[in-house]
Amino acid sequence: MSSSTRSRPARPLATALLAGAAALALLASGGTAQAHNGNGWNWGQGQQWGQQGNKTSTLHSFCAGSTPACTDNGINTPTTTNPPEFGFWASGGPTSGDLILAFLTPETTPPSAAPTIGITQAAKGTPSSITTTLAKPFAWTSGYLASYLGYASAKPKNKITAFKSVPGGYDVYVADLGSQTLQSAAQATNGPLFTLTAALPEYSYAVAFLASTPLSNCQSGTAYGATANSGALYIDGKPSTPVPEPGSLALLGTALAVLGLAARRKRRA
């Protein structure tokens, strides 16, 4: 009998041993098969999980307080109240992480005043108001908001074509609110709530990012849950107290000067 013939019975035995080892591993993991595909995914779970069991969530805006309800119309979530009262909820919430708010305002030169956020409900230790900062010295005019802000791992990435086309693109202001917990849709108002101390320019947006670390079981870095395009709060209303444009102020000043001169001449007559 040849040596190759003698070795054949060992193959079924080796296969059985491998199957037994796999079964033991399955039992040890609680009965759920785990497989890493090189991108940080656990196929048995069906979600991308961090080492603490956190997952990135898609975020959605909602109107709160005295602001009338605003509804996701499949394109964005418009409100005609300016300034609005609002918040964000997370799919699969409650979900915790570092909450970053971003406000997109039509580009102006120089940029418009940085929005100040009034916080009426948030994590302990969060200030009652935060002034945003201009994210970049140049406007966002193309590509993805996630790339513009440096949040490469954010999902969704928010392509600029998902937002209203405005001349010059958008100035983007951001504020980091630290650790917060966003609730599910049903419990949305139990999460942090925000107001703005002044109106935003018409055609502005408010979106959010929720950052968690690490990125996944097999990768380091930060994962960002981002706002669904249709969940972006769209300011579809002019400021409640319109601010006169510089040209209008100049015309008003000229008119007052003419009226004053006419009144002076009338007195002399």
Side-chain angles (χ1 to χ4, degrees), residues 38-65:
N39 291 318
W41 286 82
N42 293 323
W43 293 114
Q45 295 288 357
Q47 295 283 359
Q48 187 176 12
W49 293 87
Q51 290 177 349
Q52 304 303 318
N54 292 327
K55 60 180 179 179
T56 57
S57 298
T58 302
L59 313 182
H60 307 261
S61 68
F62 66 92
C63 294

Side-chain angles (χ1 to χ4, degrees), residues 33-148:
Q34 303 274 335
H36 181 247
N37 73 345
N39 291 318
W41 286 82
N42 293 323
W43 293 114
Q45 295 288 357
Q47 295 283 359
Q48 187 176 12
W49 293 87
Q51 290 177 349
Q52 304 303 318
N54 292 327
K55 60 180 179 179
T56 57
S57 298
T58 302
L59 313 182
H60 307 261
S61 68
F62 66 92
C63 294
S66 60
T67 300
C70 51
T71 304
D72 183 332
N73 62 15
I75 301 173
N76 48 45
T77 301
T79 177
T80 56
T81 303
N82 193 5
E85 296 178 70
F86 63 99
F88 290 88
W89 59 271
S91 59
T95 305
S96 299
D98 186 21
L99 182 62
I100 301 164
L101 297 186
F103 297 90
L104 285 54
T105 65
E107 191 273 339
T108 58
T109 305
S112 55
T116 299
I117 313 164
I119 303 173
T120 56
Q121 181 174 293
K124 184 177 180 181
T126 303
S128 58
S129 67
I130 295 177
T131 300
T132 60
T133 58
L134 190 63
K136 302 277 187 179
F138 53 89
W140 175 42
T141 58
S142 63
Y144 297 93
L145 181 61
S147 300
Y148 174 83

Side-chain angles (χ1 to χ4, degrees), residues 160-181:
I160 197 166
T161 52
F163 300 89
K164 182 179 177 64
S165 178
V166 293
Y170 286 95
D171 292 323
V172 182
Y173 297 86
V174 296
D176 190 333
L177 275 62
S179 180
Q180 305 289 337
T181 299

